[in-house]
Each structure stands twice: as structure tokens, then as C-alpha cells.
Amino acid sequence: MRTLKLTVEYDGTDFCGYQAQGKGERTVQSVLSEALAILSPREELALYGAGRTDTGVHALGQVVSFHTESGLPIDRWAIALNSLLPPDVSVARAEEADEGFHARFSARQRHYRYLVWTRRTRSAVWGRYSLHYRRPLEIEPMREAAKLLIGTHDFASYARGGGNPGMTTVRDLRRLSVRRMSNGLLISATATGFLRTMVRNLAGALITVGAGEMPPDALTEILNLRDRSRNPIPPAAPHGLCLLRVDY
Amino acid sequence: MRTLKLTVEYDGTDFCGYQAQGKGERTVQSVLSEALAILSPREELALYGAGRTDTGVHALGQVVSFHTESGLPIDRWAIALNSLLPPDVSVARAEEADEGFHARFSARQRHYRYLVWTRRTRSAVWGRYSLHYRRPLEIEPMREAAKLLIGTHDFASYARGGGNPGMTTVRDLRRLSVRRMSNGLLISATATGFLRTMVRNLAGALITVGAGEMPPDALTEILNLRDRSRNPIPPAAPHGLCLLRVDY
């Protein structure tokens, strides 16, 4: 029995997220499972993904692990899988991992980025990968607000549905930064782990501050409420988000 | 009568180039014409494009000019056109130009880039915008070859069909450079003007040198033949190419 670690890229536009709730939806995991079933037809593989990205969210460094009895040499897996996968998903790397490796539970930290396109006119190329926000955004208040949110906090106010009942909503947000790019902004977020929709909720909150609709410390007030239903800011749209890398 | 200058972006994947030879094909110009016909229905507009990009070639800075009787304020054109255009084309900017301005004939120089993805595994995101070349490429011989081609030369060997009969095939190639990127190479080319398929022929030639299949000075020998039919190297695939900018 071997443990394999795949680094997976996808354009999330036409996927119902990494892993769907319902049946019959096109998810990254279902598409990967189909390709693996052709490659190793004599076993039923259980796939574990590092981040359960939402519908429309992209990835350049999703990590997926599984156990297999297949004897296929390690340097053949990526090429073989890519020949079976559709163009909007690819396996960048396949590696042999330690027996106890688990893409989700072994992860030390996850890096996401959120792109905001602020040019007045939309982009024909970056439209799939960025939120188009037409009004000007002030970067300094966004940076000030980002600094206030960094650290170990209860992020229930920034989690979809306020988190799962009975599970902690405390997370260690290690980086939240805002950088200017040509025609837009790049928000970077790193944490040991994120709650559901947390990065999009943080991005939406920073954009609200950048637009001058709230002062930076309003985000701390929202944080301290520990209640998603009292956070008036909607999450930023999924297509601006990308899972960049997972560290182990 | 006003003269307007549009800076146009497009994802060339689903276009038969900027301007088709045949009728009924989906071209950037036909899609722009349809949008303009809705915006200014009482006139027949003649559009001039700075570069007649081939099928599958992208643009971030194509320039299109036309004359119009429309009184629509200049700051409304881009937004109005974008609301009528499909997602894979957009007008980044619309400006008022001098009466004598012509997107093609007034252009001083054109900048193109060609992306080569050299990672062993294909990209799920950059697949639309780069040539996937699996074998390793040596950048130094490519740079050496590029330097030999810069300057004012007869580029008939690097033009589709050897150029148009009766027209000069001399061009002033001002920049041809190769830069390393993460997972690939970026070839930049600048000239006052290019012959048909010239950038793709130059990119294909540099890749052949980078792969070690020809020495750098073989490209000068091919240049001196002034004959496309004696150039054995096929043009690089169109989807790696992008018209970046046109200077006036």
C-alpha cells in the first residue's frame, strides 16, 4: 500500500467546488476520481483534499492524497492522469508520501489569494479570475484593517453559517496583506486552517473598508461579535479566490 | 465627424482572428462591429485594427480606430460597448483621436509576447495562453540567436507564404528577448511592423534553438535565404501569442 500526494490545479469556473454536497455535480474530486478509476480500475480510491474550495474558486496548489495498491511508477502518475483529465484541471506533481500523510490533516498552513480588478472597464482575460470592482479602493485603510485581524481569534463572524455546531471557530490567521497590482489589488491570506468561506468574507470586509463604507476598526467590532448573522458584509464573489499553496 | 481610438483586449481562443478572410466567421472585428451597430445604428462604421492577429492569438492592447457621427460622450463609449460585447472581448479604453489618426497606419511600433510553458505537466490555467513544450529549453542559445535577428532585415523566411507579392518584406525588428518565468519562458518582440505570422515563426525558430536542434547562427542562415519555403521550422502555435501594446 502506497500513499500518494498530488498537487492539483484547476480553473474553478465550471466546477461545483472541490467536493460537492449533492450527488451528480461536476466537482474537482469527482473528475479526479473518474480519471483514477481508469488508471487503477481494480480498487476504490478514497481521495482527501487539503481545502474544500467553494463553487467557482480556483486552485494552483490544491493537494490531494490517497492510498493505492497500484504499482505504476511515481514519475508516470501526473502525465497519465493529465491525459485523462479535462483541460480545466491538471496534476502539476505526483509524489510518494509517508504512510501517515493526509492532505487535509497533515497540512500546516494554507495560502490563498484574492484578486480585485479595479480598472473602470472589465478585463477580457482576467474576468474569470478576479472580482471587478469599479469604484476606487483606498489601500491604506485596507492594510490597517488587515493588521487588526491577524492573529488567533474566534472568526465565527467571518464563517459561512458561523461555523459548524460543536466545532471551534478559533483560527490562527498568520498573514492578511493587500498589495497593489496593475489594474487592481491582490489580497493574500495565510492560516493554519480557514473556516468555510472565511477568505471570501475577509476579502469582502477589506473591500468594504477600502471603499470607505466602514472604518478599519469596524472589522474588529464585527470579529468580537462572534456571530455571522450580525456581520452585514456579504462574502466577496468566489471567482476572485485561488488556493495557492498548502504547506506540510 | 469624430475619430475614435479603442484599446481592445481579447481572449483569442474562440475567435477566427481579428479580421477573417471568409464570411460568417466569428472575428473580433465582426463582434465589435455588431456592438457598434447597436450603439450607433444610423451609420455604417469602418473599423481599422492595428494588428491583424491570427486565429487563436490573444490581445491585451489591440488598437482599433473609426470615424463616427455619434454624439455619445467619450467617457461613455467603453462602458456602453462592454455591456454589449461577449465576455472574451472588452474595450479597455476609448479616446478621442486626431482626425488623421489610423490604428494601422499611424502605429510607430507593436509589442508582442510569446509564452512557453516548460513544466513537464500541463497547466490548467495557463493552457489557453501558452505553448506547452515538455522538453527542457536552454535560454542562453535562444538569447544569442535572438540578438542575431534584431535589426532591419528582409524577413521573408519568417513570413507566412514569404510575404505578399510586390510588397517589401523588410522589417525593423527592434527587440527580441527571452526571459525566464516560473514554469516557462517569455519571448518579447517589438518592431515597427511585423509580417504575417512573423512573431510565431520567430518564436518557433528560437524554441528550436533552445531545444538544441539547431545552433543559433542557423537562424541567420535561414534569414539570408529570404525564402519561407526553405525555412524548415514551423511557426509556434497561435495560442502562446499575445499582442501587448501598440505605440503611436
Side-chain angles (χ1 to χ4, degrees), chain A:
Chain A
M1 184 73 99
R2 306 153 77 194
T3 304
L4 258 58
K5 175 192 175 193
L6 307 179
T7 305
V8 179
E9 296 177 347
Y10 44 89
D11 179 325
T13 310
D14 298 326
F15 285 107
C16 294
Y18 173 76
Q19 188 181 345
Q21 311 300 318
K23 289 249 169 208
E25 292 174 306
R26 184 180 190 257
T27 67
V28 177
Q29 187 170 296
S30 69
V31 160
L32 277 172
S33 290
E34 282 166 37
L36 283 163
I38 296 171
L39 208 61
S40 188
R42 260 170 284 173
E43 54 186 358
E44 181 103 21
L45 298 176
L47 302 186
Y48 307 107
R52 274 180 282 177
T53 55
D54 292 338
T55 297
V57 173
H58 314 287
L60 289 173
Q62 171 73 282
V63 176
V64 176
S65 68
F66 59 93
H67 306 291
T68 177
E69 303 281 1
S70 163
L72 191 70
I74 190 61
D75 63 330
R76 298 303 309 150
W77 281 87
I79 300 287
L81 281 170
N82 286 337
S83 71
L84 298 166
L85 288 167
D88 54 352
V89 54
S90 79
V91 175
R93 254 191 320 282
E95 300 157 87
E96 203 100 39
D98 293 335
E99 200 192 328
F101 180 82
H102 188 291
R104 183 164 168 213
F105 299 121
S106 306
R108 279 193 310 109
Q109 51 182 16
R110 285 129 169 122
H111 305 267
Y112 282 88
R113 73 149 187 235
Y114 194 93
L115 293 181
V116 189
W117 182 261
T118 56
R119 195 177 68 185
R120 206 170 138 262
T121 50
R122 64 176 171 78
S123 168
V125 170
W126 288 97
R128 297 164 81 88
Y129 304 113
S130 57
L131 169 71
H132 189 194
Y133 195 85
R134 277 196 177 82
R135 279 168 294 166
L137 292 173
E138 290 285 334
I139 198 168
E140 281 312 324
M142 295 176 77
R143 285 182 166 154
E144 205 182 307
K147 270 185 204 147
L148 297 171
L149 293 170
I150 291 171
T152 304
H153 305 292
D154 183 335
F155 283 98
S157 296
Y158 294 101
R160 176 188 291 170
N164 292 325
M167 305 276 273
T168 179
T169 44
V170 172
R171 289 292 184 278
D172 181 14
L173 182 63
R174 292 176 177 179
R175 183 187 181 192
L176 185 63
S177 65
V178 188
R179 224 167 54 218
R180 210 174 281 287
M181 291 190 320
S182 90
N183 296 316
L185 296 176
L186 188 157
I187 299 170
S188 301
T190 299
T192 47
F194 289 94
L195 299 163
R196 283 305 297 262
T197 321
M198 180 170 154
V199 187
R200 288 169 51 201
N201 278 310
L202 294 174
L206 292 179
I207 291 166
T208 302
V209 168
E213 291 168 18
M214 276 188 191
D217 58 8
L219 302 196
T220 316
E221 284 167 36
I222 291 169
L223 180 78
N224 292 337
L225 293 171
R226 302 180 194 185
D227 182 353
R228 182 62 183 92
S229 65
R230 292 167 73 192
N231 174 2
I233 311 170
H239 63 283
L241 186 62
C242 181
L243 171 51
L244 276 191
R245 201 172 81 236
V246 183
D247 297 334
Y248 292 93

Side-chain angles (χ1 to χ4, degrees), chain B residues 188-204:
Chain B
S188 301
T190 299
T192 48
F194 289 94
L195 299 164
R196 283 304 297 263
T197 322
M198 179 171 156
V199 187
R200 288 169 51 202
N201 278 310
L202 294 174

Side-chain angles (χ1 to χ4, degrees), chain B residues 5 7 16-18 27 33 55 69 71 79 82 84-85 88 92 108-109 115-116 137 181 184 188 203 247:
Chain B
K5 175 191 176 194
T7 304
C16 294
Y18 173 74
T27 66
S33 289
T55 296
E69 303 281 1
I79 300 288
N82 286 337
L84 297 166
L85 289 167
D88 53 354
R108 280 193 309 111
Q109 51 182 14
L115 293 180
V116 190
L137 291 173
M181 292 189 321
S188 301
D247 297 336

Side-chain angles (χ1 to χ4, degrees), chain B residues 95-113:
Chain B
E95 299 158 86
E96 203 101 36
D98 293 335
E99 201 192 328
F101 180 82
H102 189 290
R104 183 163 168 217
F105 298 121
S106 307
R108 280 193 309 111
Q109 51 182 14
R110 283 126 170 123
H111 304 268
Y112 281 87
R113 72 148 188 236

Side-chain angles (χ1 to χ4, degrees), chain A residues 122 124-125, chain B residues 9-15 26 28 31 85-90 128:
Chain A
R122 64 176 171 78
V125 170
Chain B
E9 296 177 349
Y10 43 90
D11 178 325
T13 310
D14 298 327
F15 285 106
R26 183 178 189 259
V28 177
V31 159
L85 289 167
D88 53 354
V89 54
S90 79
R128 298 165 81 87

